[in-house]
């Protein structure tokens, strides 16, 4: 199955299941016209402060070994699209492991999570930040800092996904990839209500995450794709939704210089005459239709580049 990765590059995922209902969930999808969720969709059975529930470190795995192995392999394929040893990655809602390949070669590995002792035990991290995204979804990073943002088996706990996904978009570099992985396992008392309606509904959960990408921010992501990389029928399923941050349009998209010349000519100020008076307005020369269209495209590109 072919998937879009870093900077829009394409790579093959040989262990994906292309005909799975999960892998086809977002193909030719008809997105809602408006944000489809309300307050009740994000209610939880246990509404107590998350710091109480996660107060003690849990140095355990939340998916089985086979599921972890296939997620590591998928991350490896994604990271291989970026320059080895030069890319930066942020793992949100992290813990004592990030499920990254053991031979990870990244310049920067930032992690955020709820429990300080769990983050301190993460040997792949180069920097750590304790943060509850349900209380404060503002990520402590600048704009365009990361090549990848990952979130493993935690998207179902987010009560403010609109803000979190906008923050993911903000901190990613143009062309950077967001990778959201989830399974059928969770702490049901802390997962949002619409996720718990059916924990085995992989396609439905892909639609939820796809909607998060589609609206947060609107038109900010490209190639929103769902992939079923589940290792087998008796292991924990692994479902992934990915997208990359939209890149700004390039001037090279213009078909020729004629349109740009027409655009520049239209912006020239009046030429003073010898007495310093403006030349009376003259009817503009007739511009061929193709050049007028290219002038419009040039104006649009220039506006988007600002």
């Amino acid at each position: 199955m072919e998937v879009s990765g870093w900077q829009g590059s394409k790579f093959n995922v040989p262990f994906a299941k292309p005909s799975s209902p999960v892998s086809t969930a977002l193909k030719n999808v008809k997105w809602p016209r408006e944000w489809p969720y309300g307050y009740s969709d994000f209610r939880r059975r246990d509404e107590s402060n998350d710091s109480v529930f996660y107060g003690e470190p849990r140095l355990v795995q939340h998916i089985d070994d086979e599921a972890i192995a296939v997620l590591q392999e998928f991350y490896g394929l994604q990271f291989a699209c970026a320059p080895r040893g030069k890319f930066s990655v942020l793992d949100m809602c992290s813990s004592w492991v990030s499920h990254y390949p053991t031979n990870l070669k990244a310049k920067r590995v930032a992690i955020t999570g709820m429990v300080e002792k769990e983050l301190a035990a993460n040997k792949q991290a180069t920097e750590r930040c304790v943060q509850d995204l349900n209380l404060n979804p503002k990520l402590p990073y600048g704009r365009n800092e990361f090549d990848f943002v990952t979130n493993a088996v935690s998207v179902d706990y987010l009560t403010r996904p609109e803000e979190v996904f906008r923050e993911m978009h903000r901190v990613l570099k143009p062309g950077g990839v967001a990778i959201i992985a989830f399974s059928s396992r969770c702490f049901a008392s802390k997962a949002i209500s619409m996720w718990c309606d059916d924990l085995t509904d992989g396609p439905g959960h892909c639609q939820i995450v796809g909607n998060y990408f589609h609206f947060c921010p609107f038109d900010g992501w490209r190639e929103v794709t769902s992939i079923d990389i589940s290792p087998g029928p008796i292991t924990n399923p692994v479902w992934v939704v990915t997208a990359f941050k939209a890149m700004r349009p390039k001037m090279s998209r213009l078909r020729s210089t004629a349109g740009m010349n027409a655009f520049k000519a239209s912006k020239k100020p009046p030429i003073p005459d010898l007495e310093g008076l403006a030349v009376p307005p003259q009817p503009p020369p007739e511009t061929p239709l193709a050049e007028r269209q290219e002038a419009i495209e040039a104006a649009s590109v220039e506006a988007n580049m600002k």
Side-chain angles (χ1 to χ4, degrees):
M1 180 175 175
E2 189 176 71
V3 176
S4 294
W6 186 76
Q7 297 291 309
S9 58
K10 302 289 186 180
F11 66 94
N12 184 53
V13 183
F15 47 88
K17 299 174 172 59
S19 59
S20 161
V22 164
S23 296
T24 59
L26 300 181
K27 288 186 177 180
N28 304 314
V29 64
K30 292 185 178 180
W31 300 110
R33 297 185 63 180
E34 298 178 348
W35 177 250
Y37 307 118
Y39 174 75
S40 62
D41 293 314
F42 300 104
R43 293 295 302 271
R44 300 173 298 171
R45 190 189 312 165
D46 178 3
E47 291 285 9
S48 64
N49 193 303
D50 290 343
S51 63
V52 176
F53 184 83
Y54 297 104
E56 292 298 322
R58 291 181 174 90
L59 302 184
V60 298
Q61 303 287 8
H62 297 285
I63 50 178
D64 60 32
D65 291 344
E66 292 82 1
I68 291 171
V70 77
L71 182 56
Q72 287 179 321
E73 191 171 356
F74 182 78
Y75 280 147
L77 292 175
Q78 285 277 5
F79 296 160
C81 296
R84 182 178 174 87
K86 298 181 179 180
F87 65 87
S88 56
V89 57
L90 166 64
D91 189 29
M92 298 191 316
C93 306
S94 189
S95 181
W96 67 289
V97 291
S98 292
H99 303 318
Y100 293 158
T102 55
N103 62 344
L104 177 69
K105 299 295 182 182
K107 181 179 181 180
R108 180 187 183 190
V109 181
I111 63 174
T112 68
M114 289 284 299
V115 186
E116 184 175 7
K117 290 183 179 179
E118 291 181 7
L119 301 183
N122 190 316
K123 297 180 180 179
Q124 291 182 311
T126 60
E127 56 192 89
R128 301 160 179 83
C129 177
V130 177
Q131 184 170 354
D132 182 350
L133 294 178
N134 287 339
L135 289 180
N136 176 22
K138 177 75 173 179
L139 292 171
Y141 310 105
R143 187 179 301 274
N144 303 336
E145 286 196 21
F146 295 97
D147 296 286
F148 300 92
V149 174
T150 63
N151 179 272
V153 293
S154 296
V155 68
D156 41 344
Y157 303 122
L158 297 178
T159 60
R160 300 166 68 177
E162 288 181 273
E163 295 164 273
V164 171
F165 273 65
R166 290 178 188 276
E167 279 295 287
M168 283 199 308
H169 185 272
R170 181 182 66 82
V171 303
L172 271 173
K173 300 174 185 178
V177 182
I179 307 168
I180 310 298
F182 44 95
S183 186
S184 59
R185 294 181 60 181
C186 68
F187 295 122
S189 63
K190 280 297 184 180
I192 57 175
S193 61
M194 65 175 172
W195 198 276
C196 291
D197 286 343
D198 183 355
L199 292 178
T200 65
D201 183 13
H205 292 161
C206 288
Q207 181 69 64
I208 292 173
V209 178
N211 287 339
Y212 291 171
F213 276 119
H214 179 69
F215 286 101
C216 309
F218 181 78
D219 201 36
W221 302 94
R222 298 289 180 268
E223 300 293 333
V224 181
T225 305
S226 55
I227 312 108
D228 186 349
I229 57 172
S230 303
I234 60 174
T235 65
N236 296 146
V238 183
W239 305 314
V240 186
V241 177
T242 68
F244 66 86
K245 181 176 177 176
M247 295 175 280
R248 294 191 297 179
K250 298 180 180 180
M251 298 297 287
S252 60
R253 291 176 59 187
L254 296 175
R255 292 189 293 272
S256 71
T257 58
M260 181 57 74
N261 290 337
F263 169 64
K264 290 180 178 179
S266 70
K267 299 179 68 176
K268 288 182 179 179
I271 302 174
D273 63 12
L274 295 178
E275 285 92 23
L277 300 175
V279 177
Q282 300 294 321
E286 184 67 23
T287 303
L289 178 60
E291 293 187 11
R292 292 203 302 272
Q293 180 61 34
E294 292 183 1
I296 293 172
E297 293 182 10
S300 175
V301 170
E302 183 176 81
N304 285 329
M305 293 293 287
K306 290 181 180 178

